Each structure stands twice: as C-alpha cells, then as structure tokens.
Amino acid sequence: MGQELKEKLASLPSTPGVYLMKNANGHILYVGKARDLKKRVGSYFSDTGQKDLKTSLLIKKIDHFDTILTNTEKEALILESNLIKRHRPRYNVILKDDKRYPCLRLDTKSPYPGLTIARKIEKDGALYFGPFPSAGAVRETLKLIHKI
C-alpha cells in the first residue's frame, strides 16, 4: 500500500458514508457503505482477518478510493444503492428486491403539473425528486404542498 493511500486512510472520519474503490484508470470497482468510514475502509487494507477470494482480488486492483459523507447510515444505504445502479461496479452484487424508496414525480408535460408519489423512476420526461427514506414523511410533505 502506497504512502498516499495510508495518509488518506488515516484522515478518514469516523462518520457514516459511502466509499468508492477505484482502479488506476479511475474506474469504480466497488461501492460500499459504512457506519464508520475509518473502520470499514481500513478493514480492507489491514492484515488481520481472512478475506474471501473476491475481496482479495478486489484489494489487489484498488489504486485509490473516494468517500462521500452522509448524515446517517440510512442516507448512506440509499446513496450506495443509487451509485451501484448507476455505475454497476464489477465487484458489487446487485440486489433484486421490490422495496423501492419513494420519489416525488412532477409531470411537466401535463397542462396542470402536479406532484405525485412514485416508487419507480422512469424515462418519461417527468422530473423526479428523491429518493426519500421515509414514505410517511413524503406523504406528509405532499399533503402540505397540496394544502399550500
């Protein structure tokens, strides 16, 4: 492990966030989330613990990493999911579940555009805001917007 990587590891905060492991060309190899970035990212480069074959191969290809800080672990989970869907990193398993976080959808093509709740973002020309971790909070926000 290079000196630059060691310094970056040492400067990581112990806060929630997402990390992106990249190769020398800057391609994203893996996206992960952490409650404590310092501990989680550091665990990849520590000599302690047995690592499986996939993780060992990943570590050999890592040249550098980037981090994105979040306020909560829940925000990190949503961001991680979005980044995996967008970049489709080789070492991530894409989970297929039917739980989708709600978004607000604004149909700009309608003569009277209005906000609705959507759980799937489609390429239909509408504007989507979100995703949001709490469906209840989205409904309350939408009620307030409609009231105003």
Side-chain angles (χ1 to χ4, degrees):
M1 177 172 34
Q3 186 61 30
E4 195 175 313
L5 203 54
K6 284 181 185 178
E7 288 173 9
K8 194 165 183 179
L9 278 170
S11 69
L12 282 175
S14 295
T15 59
V18 173
Y19 54 93
L20 297 92
M21 301 295 192
K22 297 180 176 183
N23 66 13
N25 296 328
H27 291 106
I28 298 171
L29 300 170
Y30 184 77
V31 175
K33 64 161 175 34
R35 180 182 312 148
D36 181 332
L37 280 168
K38 188 177 204 78
K39 283 183 186 176
R40 182 68 185 116
V41 176
S43 72
Y44 284 94
F45 303 102
S46 69
D47 292 332
T48 60
Q50 190 77 342
K51 294 180 176 53
D52 62 19
L53 181 61
K54 182 184 96 166
T55 306
S56 298
L57 291 171
L58 167 66
I59 292 168
K60 288 177 185 174
K61 293 181 180 181
I62 296 171
D63 180 70
H64 62 283
F65 63 87
D66 292 328
T67 58
I68 302 169
L69 303 180
T70 60
N71 292 319
T72 65
E73 193 175 358
K74 200 171 195 178
E75 284 180 16
L77 175 68
I78 293 169
L79 180 57
E80 175 198 36
S81 175
N82 287 337
L83 289 171
I84 290 170
K85 287 174 187 171
R86 182 181 308 149
H87 298 290
R88 299 202 173 274
R90 177 183 175 126
Y91 288 89
N92 280 98
V93 175
I94 298 177
L95 301 174
K96 303 285 184 195
D97 62 0
D98 24 44
K99 177 165 171 89
R100 297 193 183 190
Y101 292 99
C103 295
L104 289 175
R105 179 181 180 274
L106 180 64
D107 185 3
T108 56
K109 293 180 181 175
S110 170
Y112 302 100
L115 282 172
T116 57
I117 296 175
R119 290 205 175 255
K120 186 175 182 183
I121 297 174
E122 298 186 22
K123 294 184 181 192
D124 58 0
L127 295 175
Y128 289 88
F129 305 93
F132 300 98
S134 169
V138 172
R139 284 189 198 94
E140 288 299 314
T141 302
L142 195 54
K143 263 190 224 177
L144 180 63
I145 290 170
H146 285 151
K147 196 176 195 179
I148 292 171

